[in-house]
Amino acid sequence: MMFKECEVLVVGAGPAGSAAATAAAEGGAETLLIDRKKEIGTPVQCGEVVGETLLKKLNLKLPPGAQAAKLDHTRFMLDRRVQLTSREPYWKAVTLERKIFDKALAAKAAEAGAMVHADARLTDIEMEDGNVVEATIVCQGVEEKVHPKVVIAADGVHSTLSRLMKVELFTEKALAKGIEYEMVSSRKLPMGMQIFLEPEVGLGYGWIIPKGPRRANVGLAAIGMQGNRRDRLNDWLTTNPLLMDLFDVDKVIEVKTGDAPLPGFLGGPRRGNVLFAGDAAGQTLAFVGEGIIPSYACGQGAGTVAAAAVRLDDMSRLDCYERAIEDLMGNELEEGGELKDSILDVWMDESIPAGDRTVLCGLLMSEVMFPEELEEARTMLSMSRRAMIGAMKEALAKRRARATVSALNMR
Ligand SMILES: Cc1cc2nc3c(=O)[nH]c(=O)nc-3n(C[C@H](O)[C@H](O)[C@H](O)COP(=O)(O)OP(=O)(O)OC[C@H]3O[C@@H](n4cnc5c(N)ncnc54)[C@H](O)[C@@H]3O)c2cc1C
């Protein structure tokens, strides 16, 4: 098989790549979208949940069959001592069937006119003056070469393009390692996401994300996770009382592993004629668990900018990419970065007992409290459990937050 030449090569058909290819093709560029997976969307490496707020902001209609469940609240389980339930719009969500979602997005790119190839892996590049001038792709075992004007690197957290271009990748400290099972529960689940922050999970969080009344993704992700991931998850599932009550490690219907980048990309998302998008560019809101929709939005921006640069035959137009991201996702990415910094600050503060640190991180993550209120929160944690819950209730009432708090007695 011989590939036709393309003007825009998009590497990776996750949400970022498929959105980029659709936008580039709609913008009139000859576009080639490749993914090394034999079946786009499989295997899933994700909790599959997306917040309603971002879906609405982008006016993104989910493809038929891609919605598994609607979640009307999020519950934070903090150090097995505090249970905080938020019904703020931000914490309402939809669980996806990502296999269907990702495949449908790639199909949309094809419908928009892009060439789409599964089982096509970028293996090498030729560079001249900081630009990629040739890309080697192995498609169904056959080596092909293309000469795109623009390349969009939407190839995920362990980006091949970053490696080939020797762009500094994420350090271990900027990566959360994740593991998750799709499980059948012993009884009906509340239709809300549950997020666990506790020392047993480490610097990250655990989750139950329902996909149906008795089906859920149950997993954890942490920075610097040591040892075998499955062992870590099995240990957690067999020691956390709430999980033990709901799930049996003998009812696992899918295993999903993956790494998630923390927000931020060293040195900006454009290098020569290459635009990095999605996880490859750290365009995620890692500490609120959102990567799918930010990646989609930034991919769309990359595709639009790439098509305009090709149409005008002016590569300096690629500079507009950063601006496009700012317009599309700037606030969210900035706030995501700030939240990450405040959470890391608390986590690293060893003067605070480990359990208290996870409660404080949870208060920040849920946006029930902000960094400037941490002292107040620390005072609450020094009170008796009853007084602490009372003080938290008062703080929520003052803020008129659509959230409730109660004591958990799992320690
Ligand atoms: C455990 C875990 C749970 C998560 N849960 C959630 C969640 O609940 N909600 C949420 O919003 N986000 C979640 N995320 C993050 C989310 O999965 C990512 O942010 C999102 O998938 C990023 O999209 P992307 O298109 O940038 O990259 P990806 O979806 O990773 O797609 C990259 C694609 O590039 C392809 N590729 C890589 N190298 C090559 C190559 N050399 N040649 C060709 N193709 C290549 C890969 O096969 C892949 O299909 C989670 C992440 C992890 C690790």
Side-chain angles (χ1 to χ4, degrees):
M1 186 208 322
M2 282 292 286
F3 277 158
K4 277 191 262 160
E5 278 296 347
C6 62
E7 292 167 320
V8 176
L9 168 65
V10 183
V11 184
S18 290
T22 304
E26 283 173 351
E30 285 291 333
T31 304
L32 169 62
L33 171 65
I34 59 165
D35 200 292
R36 64 186 174 192
K37 292 176 176 170
K38 281 202 165 63
E39 181 177 14
I40 288 169
T42 307
V44 174
Q45 299 173 301
C46 181
E48 305 183 89
V49 72
V50 293
E52 274 190 4
T53 312
L54 276 184
L55 282 179
K56 279 190 188 143
K57 176 180 163 172
L58 297 175
N59 198 19
L60 180 61
K61 302 270 174 294
L62 293 178
Q67 178 172 317
K70 218 167 153 45
L71 310 177
D72 66 4
H73 66 274
T74 297
R75 186 161 289 160
F76 295 86
M77 308 294 186
L78 308 179
D79 193 33
R80 306 186 184 184
R81 286 187 287 156
V82 178
Q83 171 177 295
L84 189 123
T85 306
S86 175
R87 291 182 191 277
E88 291 287 350
Y90 190 79
W91 291 108
K92 294 180 194 282
V94 167
T95 318
L96 300 176
E97 283 295 352
R98 257 200 83 173
K99 286 172 199 153
I100 296 175
F101 181 73
D102 281 23
K103 232 183 190 175
L105 291 187
K108 199 171 159 205
E111 283 162 17
M115 298 172 270
V116 179
H117 284 278
D119 196 6
R121 175 192 293 262
L122 174 85
T123 55
D124 205 1
I125 50 169
E126 195 74 48
M127 295 204 55
E128 248 175 54
D129 301 329
N131 294 314
V132 172
V133 290
E134 183 178 89
T136 305
I137 297 164
V138 176
C139 182
Q140 298 175 38
V142 179
E143 197 175 276
E144 310 268 358
K145 294 201 190 284
V146 290
H147 304 86
K149 292 182 176 161
V150 182
V151 178
I152 297 177
D155 48 354
V157 63
H158 298 291
S159 163
T160 307
L161 267 151
S162 301
R163 181 172 51 77
L164 294 172
M165 292 177 75
K166 300 189 173 55
V167 170
E168 199 172 349
L169 280 169
F170 307 101
T171 61
E172 282 286 299
K173 278 190 190 146
L175 264 189
K177 295 182 181 177
I179 165 92
E180 165 185 83
Y181 294 157
E182 189 165 327
M183 303 184 81
V184 175
S185 60
S186 55
R187 56 188 157 77
K188 227 171 141 192
L189 296 163
M191 277 296 133
M193 182 161 46
Q194 298 187 44
I195 295 180
F196 298 75
L197 287 103
E198 54 188 47
E200 289 81 351
V201 170
L203 176 46
Y205 50 90
W207 60 83
I208 299 175
I209 299 173
K211 291 189 76 175
R214 286 194 54 193
R215 209 150 52 86
N217 287 329
V218 186
L220 48 86
I223 298 167
M225 189 194 288
Q226 301 292 326
N228 179 292
R229 296 184 197 207
R230 279 199 199 199
D231 291 347
R232 286 294 311 277
L233 181 54
N234 289 340
D235 282 351
W236 190 52
L237 279 162
T238 49
T239 51
N240 180 303
L242 202 140
L243 293 166
M244 287 160 68
D245 182 42
L246 284 174
F247 298 101
D248 180 338
V249 280
D250 286 333
K251 295 193 192 302
V252 175
I253 57 174
E254 192 170 338
V255 178
K256 310 171 195 186
T257 55
D259 296 338
L262 298 188
F265 185 68
L266 305 156
R270 178 195 169 187
R271 297 293 164 96
N273 65 342
V274 180
L275 304 180
F276 287 84
D279 271 11
Q283 290 161 340
T284 92
L285 314 176
F287 271 103
V288 284
E290 293 231 52
I292 302 170
I293 303 302
S295 296
Y296 175 90
C298 295
Q300 209 172 37
T304 305
V305 168
V310 166
R311 202 171 51 239
L312 299 166
D313 198 19
D314 177 3
M315 290 305 131
S316 71
R317 294 272 163 169
L318 295 178
D319 280 337
C320 299
Y321 178 43
E322 257 182 273
R323 183 64 199 277
I325 294 169
E326 250 173 66
D327 289 347
L328 284 162
M329 288 296 305
N331 288 347
E332 288 84 354
L333 290 172
E334 199 181 323
E335 284 165 16
E338 284 167 8
L339 177 64
K340 172 203 72 175
D341 291 340
S342 348
I343 286 182
L344 291 183
D345 282 351
V346 171
W347 188 269
M348 299 303 165
D349 186 345
E350 290 185 355
S351 70
I352 310 172
D356 286 0
R357 275 186 263 160
T358 58
V359 178
L360 294 173
C361 290
L363 294 173
L364 289 172
M365 184 174 167
S366 59
E367 299 210 321
V368 155
M369 289 213 146
F370 296 99
E372 58 276 16
E373 295 162 319
L374 277 175
E375 273 315 309
E376 189 189 336
R378 281 185 74 173
T379 313
M380 290 178 192
L381 288 173
S382 64
M383 299 171 177
S384 71
R385 195 166 299 189
R386 216 162 148 215
M388 171 183 77
I389 296 294
M392 284 180 180
K393 279 186 177 159
E394 240 173 69
L396 289 180
K398 227 191 283 164
R399 170 155 306 140
R400 294 169 190 259
R402 270 187 268 179
T404 53
V405 66
S406 57
L408 265 183
N409 293 312
M410 294 198 297
R411 283 210 194 279

